[in-house]
């Protein structure tokens, strides 16, 4: 087994989206090659209602899949293919925009005014950019949970992990999307296929993601190798991007650690991206915005076979 080295540690950055929602962006709208097939990860955590209630009114998407995972509060959803409803704490909304969809997402806080969740964008391969849009809503009790003897727990949103399968299916990027909790002081090895790009996003507690497949030099003080450099410290709102290997090793801190662990097979395709539209060429991108201006965006058809 080879431990995936830590390629970089990034703190998510404050930004504003929608009609004025304050959130933090872990990555997105730059060079996302290292994260392929993923394009963007937003952490919309807030306990000030005025900073999120304006929400994300009606807007288009094409060429991607958006994955919304709610931990606190509620997100009301409606779209142009007739879906509407609300996702609450622990629920998942997985929307395949395909050739085009217009939707809105309106967050509401819990009784204490807290709102917390994540939105991840996954790219679609060129062969599926113009596929029919699709919507999957998964309630918290449907999400598989695997618990190890040491108390480590993984909620499996998508993919197969520790002998269990997540409820979200038919996703082009074949992702594995986990919500992992490691108890205080525990060290855990988490398998990740070598063919995948992988990242973790810490949102509670802290710990170290160990980044050497062989033993590190043992310092004269006699502490074990997990306490030496170069393992990276990772705390709340830290994004950890991993290099290649077949497992991630994490050492939980005194308060334990909870993080998203996401991996997917890279598409290795060109990306032409502006706002909510992600295509392969600038010509395709211009056509999408022309259709929006002409009012024909939703009338686009899947390519003939």
């Amino acid at each position: 087994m080879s431990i995936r080295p830590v390629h970089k540690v990034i703190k998510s950055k404050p930004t504003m989206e929608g009609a004025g929602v304050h959130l933090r962006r872990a990555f997105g709208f730059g060079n996302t090659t290292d994260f392929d097939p993923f394009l963007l990860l937003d952490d919309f955590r807030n306990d000030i209602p005025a900073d999120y209630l304006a929400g994300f009114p009606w807007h288009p998407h094409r060429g991607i899949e958006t994955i919304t995972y709610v931990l606190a509060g509620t997100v009301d959803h409606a779209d142009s293919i007739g879906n509407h409803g609300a996702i609450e704490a622990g629920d998942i909304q997985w929307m395949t925009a395909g050739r085009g969809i217009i939707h809105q997402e309106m967050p509401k806080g819990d009784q204490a005014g807290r709102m917390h969740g994540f939105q991840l964008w996954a790219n679609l391969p060129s062969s599926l950019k113009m596929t029919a849009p699709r919507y999957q809503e998964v309630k918290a009790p449907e999400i598989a949970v695997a618990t190890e003897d040491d108390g480590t727990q993984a909620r499996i949103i998508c993919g197969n992990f520790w002998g269990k399968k997540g409820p979200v299916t038919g996703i082009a990027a074949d992702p594995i999307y986990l919500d992992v909790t490691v108890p205080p002081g525990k060290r855990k090895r988490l398998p990740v296929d070598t063919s995948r790009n992988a990242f973790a996003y810490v949102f509670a507690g802290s710990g170290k993601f160990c980044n050497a497949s062989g033993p590190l030099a043992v310092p004269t003080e006699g502490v074990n190798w997990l306490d030496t450099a170069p393992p990276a410290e990772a705390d709340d709102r830290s994004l950890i991007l991993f290099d290649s290997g077949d497992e991630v090793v994490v050492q939980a801190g005194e308060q334990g650690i909870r993080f998203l662990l996401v991996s997917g097979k890279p598409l290795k395709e060109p990306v032409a991206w502006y706002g909510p539209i992600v295509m392969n060429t600038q010509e395709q991108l211009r056509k999408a915005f022309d259709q929006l201006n002409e009012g024909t965006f939703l009338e686009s058809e899947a390519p003939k076979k």
Side-chain angles (χ1 to χ4, degrees):
M1 303 292 283
S2 60
I3 296 173
R4 282 180 173 252
V6 174
H7 180 64
K8 63 178 73 170
V9 179
I10 306 164
K11 281 295 246 186
S12 58
K13 297 177 176 61
T15 189
M16 192 179 297
E17 284 293 345
V21 177
H22 295 253
L23 50 80
R24 295 178 73 100
R25 178 155 296 153
F27 67 91
F29 292 111
N31 181 1
T32 56
T33 302
D34 288 341
F35 298 93
D36 183 16
F38 306 106
L39 298 161
L40 174 148
L41 177 65
D42 282 345
D43 177 352
F44 53 92
R45 184 185 334 183
N46 211 309
D47 57 8
I48 304 172
D51 286 349
Y52 61 76
L53 283 176
F56 306 89
W58 294 97
H59 59 281
H61 284 291
R62 176 178 286 178
I64 63 171
E65 299 179 287
T66 65
I67 305 100
T68 306
Y69 179 28
V70 175
L71 295 178
T74 303
V75 176
D76 291 336
H77 164 82
D79 65 38
S80 54
I81 58 175
N83 297 300
H84 57 85
I87 53 173
E88 302 175 342
D91 296 348
I92 296 288
Q93 175 201 105
W94 199 299
M95 187 185 75
T96 303
R99 62 179 176 258
I101 198 168
I102 296 175
H103 76 150
Q104 68 170 1
E105 298 158 298
M106 305 302 289
K108 297 178 182 178
D110 62 14
Q111 290 183 340
R114 297 171 301 183
M115 179 71 224
H116 188 197
F118 304 99
Q119 186 164 95
L120 175 69
W121 289 15
N123 201 2
L124 282 169
S126 57
S127 60
L128 295 175
K129 288 286 188 190
M130 298 298 284
T131 194
R134 187 166 73 114
Y135 175 79
Q136 297 181 70
E137 183 175 296
V138 177
K139 297 301 184 182
E142 301 173 57
I143 296 176
V145 178
T147 304
E148 296 277 271
D149 291 342
D150 64 358
T152 298
Q153 184 180 91
R155 299 188 80 222
I156 305 162
I157 294 161
C158 186
N160 294 288
F161 191 76
W162 284 346
K164 296 197 175 184
K165 183 177 177 60
V168 178
T169 60
I171 305 304
D174 189 26
I176 295 177
Y177 188 158
L178 310 172
D179 173 355
V180 179
T181 302
V182 182
K186 299 294 184 182
R187 182 180 69 169
K188 201 65 190 175
R189 295 176 176 269
L190 306 167
V192 181
D193 189 271
T194 54
S195 66
R196 297 168 173 270
N197 286 337
F199 67 86
Y201 182 75
V202 179
F203 60 94
S206 64
K208 291 181 178 180
F209 287 86
C210 311
N211 64 354
S213 55
L216 299 178
V218 179
T220 55
E221 289 80 7
V223 297
N224 66 43
W225 70 273
L226 281 169
D227 296 322
T228 66
E233 294 284 355
D235 57 7
D236 190 14
R237 293 192 168 106
S238 290
L239 176 80
I240 299 90
L241 176 64
F242 300 103
D243 276 331
S244 61
D246 55 17
E247 64 178 2
V248 167
V249 179
V250 59
Q251 172 78 36
E254 293 181 357
Q255 304 301 314
I257 189 169
R258 187 176 179 188
F259 55 94
L260 304 179
L261 180 61
V262 182
S263 65
K265 295 178 180 177
L267 301 178
K268 299 180 181 178
E269 293 184 353
V271 173
W273 182 3
Y274 187 80
I277 311 294
V278 183
M279 303 302 290
N280 295 108
T281 69
Q282 290 297 318
E283 181 181 357
Q284 292 168 338
L285 201 58
R286 282 192 296 271
K287 181 177 180 179
F289 281 96
D290 287 345
Q291 289 172 337
L292 277 170
N293 291 332
E294 295 164 359
T296 60
F297 182 76
L298 296 178
E299 299 169 16
S300 302
E301 295 183 355
K304 301 278 192 301
K305 291 185 178 180

